Amino acid sequence: MIDLRPFDTLGHANHGWLDACHHFSFGHYHDPARMSWGALRVWNDDKIAPHTGFPTHPHRDMEIITYVRTGAITHKDSLGNTGRTEAGDVQVMSAGTGIAHSEYNLEDEATTLFQIWIIPTATGKAPGWGAQPFPKTDRSGKFVVLASGFADDEGALPIRADGRVLGATLKAGESLDYALGKERFGYLVPAKGRVSIAGIEVNTRDGAAIAETETLRITALDDAELVLVDTGA
């Protein structure tokens, strides 16, 4: 089963400095049919104006993954962590018992990113933050695990969740299989390009909610950059 969610049907809020589109209910956008998908709770598609950003604010008991599409984001938190995450790289914040952070675009260009929230499998744990580069050349023609709650996903940023976040790049005409499993939930968004899944065309920044699918076969209609979340219920 694949539920296509075209980009122009997403929730939208333009705050001037932040132009945000919401795949799931968030803030003032509420749609009872789009509350979550498995353990995936939030997928925001954000564009942040130069020299602006999110001032310090708190979170707790949520796994928050940031996938930077263009530009860069600079992070600072109450644990003393600071870091600049560039396009193609990923940062993870395990909010745990509580963490306050700011995220600013200190660049001279707009920054675009996906912010993904996954419900944790355990609450009341110590908070943490981490970031690392994931070269797109390493993802050519295959999915690379970017963040994962599974210890055997070597090289991925750790999260406390029954899930993983993956990235891939495909050339036009290439196909890629992913063993999702019929009991799992997948949510795929092309950061760039168009793909076809089971005859359904998924355009840039559309969402494809996938369930009851043993193996997911993705064919690129253009050169494509993909982000996929795979979670349990």
Side-chain angles (χ1 to χ4, degrees), residues 13-136:
N14 192 334
H15 304 281
W17 66 273
L18 171 67
D19 190 0
C21 293
H22 310 303
H23 286 260
F24 300 95
S25 295
F26 188 88
H28 294 295
Y29 167 60
H30 180 76
D31 181 344
R34 296 186 181 181
M35 294 300 298
S36 62
W37 192 251
L40 174 61
R41 175 59 189 86
V42 168
W43 191 310
N44 289 344
D45 182 326
D46 291 343
K47 181 178 182 180
I48 306 167
H51 305 288
T52 67
F54 299 90
T56 302
H57 59 285
H59 293 279
R60 65 177 299 135
D61 290 328
M62 189 64 70
E63 302 300 295
I64 300 174
I65 302 99
T66 303
Y67 180 96
V68 181
R69 295 168 51 217
T70 62
I73 199 78
T74 297
H75 169 97
K76 184 178 292 187
D77 65 42
S78 54
L79 301 178
N81 297 307
T82 60
R84 179 177 176 274
T85 304
E86 301 180 351
D89 299 345
V90 177
Q91 70 172 18
V92 164
M93 189 173 70
S94 292
T97 54
I99 188 171
H101 73 125
S102 63
E103 305 288 343
Y104 278 97
N105 173 15
L106 302 180
E107 315 303 313
D108 294 328
E109 61 175 330
T111 289
T112 63
L113 54 84
F114 294 145
Q115 187 179 95
I116 296 163
W117 296 14
I118 301 176
I119 299 168
T121 50
T123 59
K125 301 294 185 179
W129 175 85
Q132 68 185 60
F134 289 94
K136 292 181 183 177

